[in-house]
Amino acid sequence: MDDVEIEDVNEDSPFLVEKEPLRNQDLTSFTDIAGEVLSLYGWHLLLVAFVLFLLVQQLKKRSSGQSASDTASAATQDAAFVAQRQEAMEAARRRMQEELDAKAVLFREKQKQREEEKRRQKLENYKGIVMSQDEAASSSAALKPKTDKKPLRSTDYSPLSGQGGGTCSWRPGRRGPSSGG
């Protein structure tokens, strides 16, 4: 195995083809060209774009100047239309306000009727209670047998007044700090 020799290929060999290094040919050529154009003519291109912009603006002004007469007649029609629309809106607002006022009046009347009804019911309940108490008092007075016992105290006795013959009377509390924890 030592007999094997490796020979270099001569440049004179017909089978050898030299190739350029591989490059992405999609955008590199375009970016190269665009870069060169911008570097050489960048300011010129910017100036041309600005002039084109100004020309477009002037053309728009001229075309709107010709339609200015059309706009004036449209403006008078628009003013009349706007005035008519505002009047219609005002009329609608007035109608709505009148409806709201009418509903408010009805609500107040119903509220007064409810309050009056509540007042009547309270008055009737009160009268019924008073009458039943009067009837109960008169019936209990009729049912109670009269006794000749002497009442324990007089009718004008009040234990808080300090009068009426009691030995106990009210005394103020002790002065000083409260005792307690």
Side-chain angles (χ1 to χ4, degrees):
M1 295 242 198
D2 293 329
D3 299 343
V4 177
E5 286 185 27
I6 299 176
E7 295 181 18
D8 289 337
V9 178
N10 289 340
E11 294 179 12
D12 298 335
S13 171
F15 300 108
L16 185 62
V17 177
E18 289 189 26
K19 294 183 179 178
E20 291 183 30
L22 294 177
R23 292 185 350 184
N24 186 359
Q25 304 220 355
D26 292 339
L27 295 176
T28 55
S29 63
F30 175 73
T31 55
D32 290 342
I33 294 170
E36 288 177 26
V37 169
L38 284 177
S39 66
L40 293 175
Y41 302 109
W43 290 107
H44 302 292
L45 290 174
L46 183 64
L47 182 64
V48 168
F50 182 70
V51 169
L52 284 175
F53 175 75
L54 291 177
L55 285 174
V56 169
Q57 295 296 324
Q58 288 296 327
L59 291 175
K60 282 184 181 180
K61 284 182 183 179
R62 285 186 184 173
S63 66
S64 66
Q66 291 172 354
S67 64
S69 60
D70 298 336
T71 308
S73 63
T76 57
Q77 290 176 355
D78 288 344
F81 177 73
V82 168
Q84 183 182 9
R85 187 170 183 130
Q86 285 179 346
E87 289 173 8
M89 287 177 64
E90 190 63 33
R93 286 184 184 133
R94 269 187 259 127
R95 275 195 315 268
M96 289 171 56
Q97 186 65 41
E98 288 171 359
E99 289 175 7
L100 184 65
D101 291 342
K103 287 180 182 178
V105 167
L106 288 174
F107 178 77
R108 278 190 235 119
E109 289 176 3
K110 287 181 181 179
Q111 197 72 11
K112 286 180 183 178
Q113 289 175 355
R114 287 183 194 142
E115 290 175 5
E116 185 66 26
E117 185 65 30
K118 284 182 184 178
R119 191 183 64 79
R120 282 189 207 138
Q121 286 178 354
K122 285 182 181 180
L123 188 60
E124 288 174 4
N125 289 341
Y126 179 74
K127 285 181 181 179
I129 291 171
V130 169
M131 292 179 100
S132 64
Q133 286 177 353
D134 288 345
E135 290 175 3
S138 64
S139 65
S140 66
L143 293 177
K144 277 189 182 176
K146 292 198 175 190
T147 58
D148 292 335
K149 288 186 177 179
K150 184 178 176 184
L152 295 176
R153 296 184 182 95
S154 65
T155 58
D156 62 339
Y157 172 73
S158 174
L160 298 177
S161 66
Q163 300 172 357
T167 57
C168 294
S169 64
W170 178 82
R171 293 183 193 157
R174 208 179 118 212
R175 287 189 142 189
S178 64
S179 61

PDB file of all heavy atoms in Angstrom, residues 14 33 66 91 109 129 134 147 165 167 169 178:
ATOM      1  N   PRO A  14      -7.316  19.714 -19.250  1.00  0.00           N
ATOM      2  CA  PRO A  14      -8.540  20.177 -19.893  1.00  0.00           C
ATOM      3  C   PRO A  14      -9.778  19.976 -19.034  1.00  0.00           C
ATOM      4  O   PRO A  14     -10.819  20.529 -19.295  1.00  0.00           O
ATOM      5  CB  PRO A  14      -8.618  19.325 -21.156  1.00  0.00           C
ATOM      6  CG  PRO A  14      -7.831  18.113 -20.885  1.00  0.00           C
ATOM      7  CD  PRO A  14      -6.786  18.509 -19.878  1.00  0.00           C
ATOM      8  N   ILE A  33     -26.811  48.498  -7.462  1.00  0.00           N
ATOM      9  CA  ILE A  33     -27.127  49.571  -8.405  1.00  0.00           C
ATOM     10  C   ILE A  33     -27.800  50.734  -7.689  1.00  0.00           C
ATOM     11  O   ILE A  33     -27.459  51.902  -7.904  1.00  0.00           O
ATOM     12  CB  ILE A  33     -28.006  49.031  -9.554  1.00  0.00           C
ATOM     13  CG1 ILE A  33     -27.216  48.042 -10.387  1.00  0.00           C
ATOM     14  CG2 ILE A  33     -28.525  50.165 -10.422  1.00  0.00           C
ATOM     15  CD1 ILE A  33     -28.064  47.277 -11.397  1.00  0.00           C
ATOM     16  N   GLN A  66     -61.288  76.183  -9.831  1.00  0.00           N
ATOM     17  CA  GLN A  66     -62.314  76.132 -10.858  1.00  0.00           C
ATOM     18  C   GLN A  66     -63.635  75.671 -10.283  1.00  0.00           C
ATOM     19  O   GLN A  66     -64.704  76.103 -10.699  1.00  0.00           O
ATOM     20  CB  GLN A  66     -61.874  75.195 -11.992  1.00  0.00           C
ATOM     21  CG  GLN A  66     -60.715  75.723 -12.804  1.00  0.00           C
ATOM     22  CD  GLN A  66     -60.205  74.672 -13.788  1.00  0.00           C
ATOM     23  OE1 GLN A  66     -60.645  73.535 -13.766  1.00  0.00           O
ATOM     24  NE2 GLN A  66     -59.268  75.089 -14.637  1.00  0.00           N
ATOM     25  N   ALA A  91     -87.734  71.821  16.604  1.00  0.00           N
ATOM     26  CA  ALA A  91     -89.138  71.441  16.743  1.00  0.00           C
ATOM     27  C   ALA A  91     -89.255  70.079  17.428  1.00  0.00           C
ATOM     28  O   ALA A  91     -90.117  69.883  18.306  1.00  0.00           O
ATOM     29  CB  ALA A  91     -89.813  71.421  15.376  1.00  0.00           C
ATOM     30  N   GLU A 109     -99.297  64.221  39.870  1.00  0.00           N
ATOM     31  CA  GLU A 109    -100.681  64.000  40.286  1.00  0.00           C
ATOM     32  C   GLU A 109    -100.850  62.612  40.889  1.00  0.00           C
ATOM     33  O   GLU A 109    -101.505  62.456  41.932  1.00  0.00           O
ATOM     34  CB  GLU A 109    -101.619  64.176  39.087  1.00  0.00           C
ATOM     35  CG  GLU A 109    -101.759  65.614  38.636  1.00  0.00           C
ATOM     36  CD  GLU A 109    -102.615  65.745  37.381  1.00  0.00           C
ATOM     37  OE1 GLU A 109    -103.134  64.713  36.897  1.00  0.00           O
ATOM     38  OE2 GLU A 109    -102.762  66.871  36.891  1.00  0.00           O
ATOM     39  N   ILE A 129    -108.238  52.282  65.654  1.00  0.00           N
ATOM     40  CA  ILE A 129    -107.529  51.925  66.885  1.00  0.00           C
ATOM     41  C   ILE A 129    -108.117  52.691  68.063  1.00  0.00           C
ATOM     42  O   ILE A 129    -108.359  52.130  69.132  1.00  0.00           O
ATOM     43  CB  ILE A 129    -106.020  52.199  66.743  1.00  0.00           C
ATOM     44  CG1 ILE A 129    -105.406  51.220  65.740  1.00  0.00           C
ATOM     45  CG2 ILE A 129    -105.309  52.102  68.079  1.00  0.00           C
ATOM     46  CD1 ILE A 129    -103.977  51.539  65.373  1.00  0.00           C
ATOM     47  N   ASP A 134    -111.401  52.766  72.833  1.00  0.00           N
ATOM     48  CA  ASP A 134    -112.536  53.320  73.586  1.00  0.00           C
ATOM     49  C   ASP A 134    -113.545  52.236  73.906  1.00  0.00           C
ATOM     50  O   ASP A 134    -114.049  52.145  75.043  1.00  0.00           O
ATOM     51  CB  ASP A 134    -113.215  54.445  72.793  1.00  0.00           C
ATOM     52  CG  ASP A 134    -112.360  55.709  72.740  1.00  0.00           C
ATOM     53  OD1 ASP A 134    -111.396  55.801  73.540  1.00  0.00           O
ATOM     54  OD2 ASP A 134    -112.659  56.581  71.901  1.00  0.00           O
ATOM     55  N   THR A 147    -114.720  48.051  93.445  1.00  0.00           N
ATOM     56  CA  THR A 147    -114.362  47.676  94.822  1.00  0.00           C
ATOM     57  C   THR A 147    -114.122  48.950  95.604  1.00  0.00           C
ATOM     58  O   THR A 147    -113.770  49.981  95.053  1.00  0.00           O
ATOM     59  CB  THR A 147    -113.091  46.813  94.828  1.00  0.00           C
ATOM     60  OG1 THR A 147    -112.044  47.540  94.207  1.00  0.00           O
ATOM     61  CG2 THR A 147    -113.309  45.502  94.085  1.00  0.00           C
ATOM     62  N   GLY A 165     -93.717  61.872  99.406  1.00  0.00           N
ATOM     63  CA  GLY A 165     -93.632  61.173 100.667  1.00  0.00           C
ATOM     64  C   GLY A 165     -92.675  60.008 100.692  1.00  0.00           C
ATOM     65  O   GLY A 165     -92.678  59.243 101.643  1.00  0.00           O
ATOM     66  N   THR A 167     -89.046  58.074 101.137  1.00  0.00           N
ATOM     67  CA  THR A 167     -87.857  58.345 101.933  1.00  0.00           C
ATOM     68  C   THR A 167     -86.618  58.401 101.065  1.00  0.00           C
ATOM     69  O   THR A 167     -85.624  58.977 101.478  1.00  0.00           O
ATOM     70  CB  THR A 167     -87.660  57.258 102.989  1.00  0.00           C
ATOM     71  OG1 THR A 167     -87.588  55.997 102.337  1.00  0.00           O
ATOM     72  CG2 THR A 167     -88.779  57.276 103.993  1.00  0.00           C
ATOM     73  N   SER A 169     -84.421  59.591  97.955  1.00  0.00           N
ATOM     74  CA  SER A 169     -84.360  60.721  97.040  1.00  0.00           C
ATOM     75  C   SER A 169     -83.115  60.553  96.158  1.00  0.00           C
ATOM     76  O   SER A 169     -82.196  59.822  96.495  1.00  0.00           O
ATOM     77  CB  SER A 169     -84.310  62.040  97.805  1.00  0.00           C
ATOM     78  OG  SER A 169     -83.124  62.113  98.566  1.00  0.00           O
ATOM     79  N   SER A 178     -63.254  57.417  87.736  1.00  0.00           N
ATOM     80  CA  SER A 178     -64.063  56.191  87.785  1.00  0.00           C
ATOM     81  C   SER A 178     -63.200  55.061  88.285  1.00  0.00           C
ATOM     82  O   SER A 178     -62.009  54.992  88.005  1.00  0.00           O
ATOM     83  CB  SER A 178     -64.621  55.880  86.407  1.00  0.00           C
ATOM     84  OG  SER A 178     -63.560  55.616  85.513  1.00  0.00           O
TER      85      SER A 178
END
